[in-house]
Amino acid sequence: MYPFAWAIVNVENKDNWAWFIRNIKANSENIGDGQGFTVISDRQKGLLNVVERELPKFPCQSEMKGLFWRVAESYILSEYEANLERVKAYDMRLYDAIMQRNPQNCSLAFCKPTTSCVDVHNNLSELFNNAIDPSRYFPMVEMLEIIRRRTMQRIELRMKKACLHRGRFTKRAATFIAEEQESLKYTKYVSGSAQSRCEVLDCGKSVSLHMGMHTCACRKWEMSGLPCRHALRVIAEKKLNHEDY
């Protein structure tokens, strides 16, 4: 996370958000009309609030949360619809509570892959909000100075950590790959072609992918920017280096 813009407004409304975004566009070279960027906000908090409010009515909270996150973390439309059906079968009240806030707004199945972002929550920004929260009780100018200093300290600390890191990619990327590799036992390489098109069986179901374009029918590769288990199966079969993908 690299904080670079913040503002004080009297209220969070349409006009103030429009003013904020216009300023970001005016001071950033690459944003343009927003193509290739993902906006993560707390507008969908209402959905979580509804679910939390409904929690006491459901017999198993952990199971209910798992069903919700399956919907949010669905990469393809068929997976999204199947997970919604599981919610409906579990409890129609839960299904209605989720549908009130349109889960398409927070499901990966409806996100574009151009940003390689698979975050379906705004925990990153909430952590930053918590870090600067004490400054909000100071006079305005002093508050802004405290936020500025803390932001600079945060950036410097993370720059030092980054400089100490050894390896081509981040620890988060390594964790993602490790989790996908655990699922390789359910996959089987079927065939490949000179055009980099390949086929892999996943629990008996055929999945097609294109190694050259870094795409897979599961959408996980293009959504995350990191090889999914199907790509890793091909990479292992051809004795390639997954870091090159």
Side-chain angles (χ1 to χ4, degrees):
M1 181 178 180
Y2 191 96
F4 69 94
W6 50 89
I8 301 172
V9 294
N10 58 334
V11 63
E12 288 189 60
N13 58 21
K14 183 178 179 179
D15 291 338
N16 283 336
W17 272 117
W19 168 81
F20 185 71
I21 296 299
R22 281 197 298 268
N23 274 283
I24 289 182
K25 287 177 65 177
N27 290 278
S28 304
E29 295 180 1
N30 302 319
I31 289 182
D33 61 356
Q35 287 295 321
F37 288 84
T38 294
V39 176
I40 301 177
S41 76
D42 62 358
R43 283 194 62 192
Q44 307 312 322
K45 265 188 163 181
L47 171 58
L48 296 179
N49 291 337
V50 168
V51 174
E52 289 294 331
R53 191 167 65 242
E54 296 293 323
L55 276 176
K57 298 180 182 180
F58 299 107
C60 182
Q61 295 184 15
S62 59
E63 185 178 355
M64 185 280 301
K65 288 182 178 179
L67 288 168
F68 167 76
W69 284 113
R70 281 186 181 182
V71 172
E73 294 172 352
S74 299
Y75 283 86
I76 56 179
L77 186 59
S78 59
E79 184 183 10
Y80 165 82
E81 292 173 343
N83 284 325
L84 268 184
E85 287 299 316
R86 291 188 181 96
V87 172
K88 189 184 295 185
Y90 175 76
D91 196 314
M92 278 299 298
R93 295 170 301 166
L94 173 60
Y95 174 81
D96 291 339
I98 291 177
M99 296 306 293
Q100 282 180 17
R101 292 290 178 168
N102 189 5
Q104 292 185 12
N105 287 330
C106 63
S107 177
L108 291 172
F110 300 92
C111 292
K112 295 180 180 179
T114 50
T115 53
S116 297
C117 179
V118 293
D119 285 333
V120 289
H121 51 69
N122 68 320
N123 291 354
L124 203 65
S125 56
E126 291 299 336
L127 287 171
F128 182 70
N129 285 342
N130 289 335
I132 65 173
D133 185 65
S135 66
R136 297 177 182 179
Y137 303 98
F138 287 86
M140 189 173 294
V141 173
E142 190 173 358
M143 175 182 70
L144 287 169
E145 280 298 288
I146 292 173
I147 294 175
R148 179 185 63 81
R149 290 193 202 101
R150 290 196 175 187
T151 301
M152 292 176 67
Q153 291 166 356
R154 180 190 182 95
I155 292 171
E156 182 182 21
L157 176 64
R158 277 150 183 76
M159 177 63 75
K160 288 179 180 177
K161 285 186 176 182
C163 290
L164 292 173
H165 177 69
R166 296 292 176 263
R168 290 170 66 181
F169 302 102
T170 64
K171 291 181 179 179
R172 183 177 181 182
T175 300
F176 180 97
I177 295 296
E179 290 175 352
E180 287 297 292
Q181 285 177 332
E182 289 179 4
S183 301
L184 283 183
K185 56 187 175 184
Y186 304 114
T187 64
K188 180 181 179 181
Y189 177 79
V190 178
S191 62
S193 70
Q195 288 77 33
S196 297
R197 296 185 182 278
C198 299
E199 182 183 358
V200 170
L201 289 180
D202 187 347
C203 296
K205 294 182 179 180
S206 176
V207 180
S208 61
L209 56 156
H210 195 295
M211 299 300 292
M213 297 176 65
H214 295 193
T215 59
C216 179
C218 75
R219 289 188 80 229
K220 208 168 190 177
W221 195 357
E222 53 262 52
M223 286 297 295
S224 65
L226 302 167
C228 60
R229 60 183 178 271
H230 311 115
L232 291 172
R233 169 51 65 204
V234 176
I235 289 169
E237 184 72 21
K238 296 180 177 293
K239 295 181 172 56
L240 303 171
N241 184 354
H242 70 263
E243 289 191 346
D244 294 333
Y245 292 86

